[in-house]
Amino acid sequence: MLHDIAPRTGAAFTVDKGQRLTVIDPQGGQVADLLAFNRSDMAEVLSSGRTLDYASRIYLTTGDPLYSNRSNVMLRIVEDMVGRHDFLLTPCSADTFRILYGDDQPHRGCFGNLAAALEPYGVTPDAIPVAFNCFMNVPVNGETGTFTVEPPLSRAGDHIVFEAEQDLVIGLTACSAPLSNGGSFKPIAYRID
Amino acid sequence: MLHDIAPRTGAAFTVDKGQRLTVIDPQGGQVADLLAFNRSDMAEVLSSGRTLDYASRIYLTTGDPLYSNRSNVMLRIVEDMVGRHDFLLTPCSADTFRILYGDDQPHRGCFGNLAAALEPYGVTPDAIPVAFNCFMNVPVNGETGTFTVEPPLSRAGDHIVFEAEQDLVIGLTACSAPLSNGGSFKPIAYRID
């Protein structure tokens, strides 16, 4: 069964250990911010720092595990049609739009959408860390350290598949930041098998 | 007054808004992991994701602000003799030494040292995020995304100076990971003015 996430919104749901979560970009060129919490102890959460450290790589793809702040594997990427995702940047937020875009009345962004969707699971906004940003294309210049946010490389129907290695609560968005999505806002779809 | 942090240990202390924290590498080639918490609400903490996002750069130096998870500036780098620090990787931990070094009886690392030093301030281990790793030299290959941990570029006596923009609790270490420090363990010194 395919679930839809409307443009600039988010969702939260559970995925059991051993299940597979497929995140699909139905129209192409759209980013989905993904968070994971250990359902039996919600203080255990996805950690970009642990994951990148153990991978010795900032771009992750098929075969790579995503670690928690307690160095346990939460998810593993088992299929990846795109090969470029971001794990450096926090979910876009009202502050992002204020600071980076100069918006006076900023959208609540993926951060606000994740906070609202995860609130019933007891997650407070302060507990939202760097997300695994599916399809987000952030090439880094290794010499200068500068990076840019480029349109995603995903084409219509491309997907990435994660296998859960814990019972999880997942937060997932159709990203709200114009720059991340090549200037457009599109939906995201997901499936749990 | 100069304070010393012995090799492979850590410290926690307060810094008031407007004060300057100078982190010194007395012998050269040594890393110091730095954390900051808002003293009036310890759930506000240094955020690599927010900071890198707003800087559009992974290497930070003089003039760059360090943001919290609430997008407030906590510290600003006001002087930097080295110009290469890391803000991608979590503090080294027993898990780091187990996973990356294959140690059977691993040292508790900067993570354990920070957790112990910050415990009197009510900080739990789960609340320790990616640290700003002063002098840590992690060049990234922008094409492949791979990175390596190289010896720091700091020479004996080099320092970096931060100005506090909030009343803070600071955690600071003399890093415990062989790879980060060119295979040796040395002290770190700091001063508050």
Side-chain angles (χ1 to χ4, degrees):
Chain A
M1 182 184 160
L2 209 59
H3 304 268
D4 289 311
I5 301 178
R8 300 190 109 182
T9 72
F13 48 88
T14 61
V15 176
D16 296 339
K17 183 177 176 175
Q19 285 188 316
R20 290 185 169 206
L21 167 66
T22 302
V23 179
I24 304 151
D25 183 357
Q27 300 178 18
Q30 174 63 19
V31 166
D33 288 15
L34 178 135
L35 286 181
F37 296 82
N38 179 342
R39 207 153 80 220
S40 65
D41 184 348
M42 297 285 286
E44 181 166 15
V45 61
L46 200 61
S47 169
S48 62
R50 291 279 161 224
T51 302
L52 300 180
D53 208 346
Y54 302 148
S56 295
R57 203 163 3 91
I58 60 167
Y59 306 138
L60 303 179
T61 187
T62 307
D64 284 322
L66 305 189
Y67 283 90
S68 74
N69 55 343
R70 296 180 191 166
S71 293
N72 297 313
V73 177
M74 304 189 94
L75 294 158
R76 191 177 301 270
I77 303 172
V78 292
E79 196 185 329
D80 179 11
M81 296 175 71
V82 179
R84 176 58 64 91
H85 315 280
D86 169 71
F87 210 4
L88 299 181
L89 305 181
T90 33
C92 63
S93 66
D95 290 310
T96 309
F97 293 126
R98 181 177 54 78
I99 293 171
L100 285 182
Y101 292 80
D103 292 356
D104 283 338
Q105 298 196 321
H107 190 272
R108 67 182 185 177
C110 287
F111 186 83
N113 286 331
L114 287 165
L118 289 162
E119 196 269 337
Y121 294 97
V123 176
T124 61
D126 285 330
I128 294 178
V130 171
F132 184 81
N133 302 306
C134 306
F135 316 127
M136 189 172 181
N137 182 12
V138 184
V140 174
N141 179 320
E143 294 301 310
T144 62
T146 55
F147 57 77
T148 51
V149 178
E150 302 291 337
L153 302 178
S154 46
R155 293 152 307 177
D158 279 355
H159 62 249
I160 180 170
V161 185
F162 304 88
E163 186 164 308
E165 300 207 2
Q166 295 180 337
D167 289 336
L168 297 172
V169 172
I170 295 287
L172 190 67
T173 70
C175 178
S176 307
L179 212 55
S180 305
N181 309 305
S184 73
F185 305 116
K186 296 172 182 168
I188 284 290
Y190 69 93
R191 200 175 62 227
I192 300 165
D193 301 288
Chain B
M1 183 185 159
L2 211 59
H3 305 267
D4 289 311
I5 301 178
R8 300 191 109 182
T9 72
F13 48 88
T14 61
V15 176
D16 296 339
K17 182 176 176 175
Q19 285 189 316
R20 291 186 167 205
L21 167 65
T22 302
V23 179
I24 304 151
D25 182 356
Q27 299 178 19
Q30 174 63 30
V31 166
D33 288 15
L34 178 136
L35 286 180
F37 297 82
N38 179 342
R39 206 154 80 220
S40 65
D41 183 349
M42 297 285 288
E44 181 166 16
V45 62
L46 200 62
S47 169
S48 62
R50 292 278 161 224
T51 302
L52 299 181
D53 208 344
Y54 302 148
S56 295
R57 204 165 0 94
I58 61 168
Y59 306 138
L60 303 180
T61 187
T62 307
D64 283 322
L66 304 189
Y67 284 89
S68 75
N69 54 342
R70 296 180 191 166
S71 294
N72 297 313
V73 177
M74 304 189 92
L75 293 158
R76 190 177 301 270
I77 304 172
V78 293
E79 196 185 328
D80 179 11
M81 297 176 70
V82 179
R84 177 57 66 90
H85 316 280
D86 169 72
F87 209 5
L88 299 181
L89 305 180
T90 34
C92 62
S93 66
D95 290 309
T96 309
F97 293 125
R98 180 177 56 77
I99 294 172
L100 286 181
Y101 292 81
D103 291 356
D104 283 338
Q105 299 196 320
H107 190 272
R108 68 181 184 176
C110 287
F111 185 83
N113 287 331
L114 287 165
L118 289 162
E119 197 269 337
Y121 294 96
V123 175
T124 62
D126 284 331
I128 294 178
V130 171
F132 183 81
N133 301 305
C134 306
F135 316 127
M136 190 171 180
N137 182 11
V138 183
V140 174
N141 180 320
E143 294 301 310
T144 62
T146 54
F147 57 79
T148 51
V149 179
E150 302 291 338
L153 303 178
S154 46
R155 294 152 304 175
D158 279 354
H159 62 251
I160 179 170
V161 185
F162 304 89
E163 185 164 308
E165 299 206 4
Q166 295 179 336
D167 289 336
L168 298 171
V169 172
I170 295 287
L172 190 68
T173 70
C175 177
S176 308
L179 212 54
S180 305
N181 308 302
S184 74
F185 305 117
K186 296 170 183 167
I188 284 290
Y190 69 92
R191 199 177 61 227
I192 300 165
D193 301 289

